[in-house]
Amino acid sequence: MKVLNKLSAVLLLSAGAFCHQALADNTVFTAMDDPSTAKKPFDGSASAGYLAQTGNTTSSSLTAQTNMTWYQSSMAYSLWGNASNTSSNDERSSETYSIGGRSRYNLNSFDYLFGQASWLSDRFNGYDSRDVLTAGYGRQILNGPIHSLRAEFGPGVRYDDFHDGGSETKALGYGALSYQWQLTDNTKFIQGVSVLSSFGEDTTVNSETGLQVGINDHFALKLAYNVTWNNNPPESAPDRTDTKTSIMLTYAM
């Protein structure tokens, strides 16, 4: 019975979570695809997932997210939102909400400018809210059918409202790298890394490593491993590293 409960939980999580195929998890890495290569003017997605387990351990996990991206010949705009929470034995163990927006303007076939703003609430990691505003320059290093690689960097500002009290505003530097490798017609490897650093005081590194296998024109199965590392977390969240492994059924409109 325990094995069946665990298997059912995995299947519920896999079947219940949907995300957009062209973008990595926006809470981790938000670099957008090149608008000049977009196949249609709009891409959108919505997702929801629920996991429940009963018996010796009672737990539940709820996730939801949405992505909307508009493409023009040289510009792209994106809006996103994410929400997730987990409870174990009637006690909340995690709760995260985020929303954001982003724009990209192509200067030429390789160079582009970007701007992005985001809001995050993650009280179990020490933040009632974390607001980030960044802008800068990006370079489309590779844009072939097999390999895609882009890098970007720029200045920004962040406002932190700490869960244990107090707040502060910091100037920061942002850098990110996104790589995709089309292994076969329906299999793609994804790697994204982003860094937010307040010049020595506080550095946050986000990473997503994923493998996506297409099922048909709309559905794909995605296995992802996410890591978030903070060298100076708030006192209410002493652990520096958070990891998440997920398997998702993705749907692209």
Side-chain angles (χ1 to χ4, degrees):
M1 183 62 69
K2 292 180 180 179
V3 174
L4 289 175
N5 283 340
K6 291 181 179 179
L7 180 59
S8 298
V10 170
L11 290 175
L12 280 169
L13 182 61
S14 302
F18 298 89
C19 68
H20 187 265
Q21 286 181 277
L23 296 175
D25 184 348
N26 279 317
T27 63
V28 174
F29 188 75
T30 57
M32 296 165 62
D33 287 340
D34 186 352
S36 67
T37 63
K39 297 180 180 179
K40 51 186 178 180
F42 172 77
D43 272 321
S45 68
S47 66
Y50 179 71
L51 182 151
Q53 182 175 345
T54 60
N56 294 327
T57 299
T58 301
S59 64
S60 64
S61 178
L62 178 65
T63 62
Q65 59 182 290
T66 183
N67 253 315
M68 295 179 291
T69 305
W70 294 264
Y71 292 105
Q72 298 176 1
S73 59
S74 60
M75 292 199 70
Y77 310 88
S78 183
L79 298 174
W80 71 85
N82 297 276
S84 65
N85 65 72
T86 303
S87 298
S88 179
N89 295 321
D90 296 326
E91 291 188 9
R92 186 68 54 85
S93 56
S94 70
E95 186 175 14
T96 305
Y97 306 97
S98 68
I99 57 175
R102 180 178 169 87
S103 64
R104 167 173 167 163
Y105 174 71
N106 281 2
L107 298 172
N108 51 51
S109 299
F110 298 99
D111 305 303
Y112 64 90
L113 301 177
F114 73 90
Q116 65 182 31
S118 64
W119 171 85
L120 169 71
S121 176
D122 190 358
R123 63 188 181 90
F124 284 89
N125 278 323
Y127 300 98
D128 280 344
S129 69
R130 167 172 273 196
D131 308 316
V132 178
L133 179 65
T134 61
Y137 163 80
R139 175 77 173 178
Q140 191 77 39
I141 302 170
L142 298 174
N143 202 16
I146 304 299
H147 300 282
S148 173
L149 176 65
R150 54 189 178 271
E152 59 187 38
F153 60 90
V157 63
R158 187 182 73 211
Y159 172 77
D160 294 331
D161 184 9
F162 298 108
H163 184 62
D164 57 357
S167 62
E168 61 181 346
T169 302
K170 294 181 179 180
L172 55 85
Y174 163 82
L177 190 71
S178 176
Y179 172 69
Q180 295 186 10
W181 179 11
Q182 195 72 41
L183 298 170
T184 67
D185 289 342
N186 65 342
T187 304
K188 178 166 57 179
F189 172 78
I190 302 168
Q191 177 64 59
V193 179
S194 67
V195 179
L196 288 169
S197 178
S198 56
F199 307 104
E201 292 183 38
D202 183 336
T203 299
T204 300
V205 179
N206 298 299
S207 171
E208 179 184 74
T209 303
L211 186 67
Q212 185 169 283
V213 180
I215 300 173
N216 55 36
D217 291 341
H218 292 284
F219 288 94
L221 191 66
K222 180 181 178 182
L223 176 66
Y225 180 69
N226 297 89
V227 179
T228 299
W229 178 81
N230 189 334
N231 74 321
N232 187 25
E235 293 182 0
S236 59
D239 291 338
R240 294 186 177 185
T241 305
D242 284 322
T243 64
K244 179 178 67 175
T245 302
S246 60
I247 181 170
M248 297 175 289
L249 181 64
T250 70
Y251 176 75
M253 296 181 183

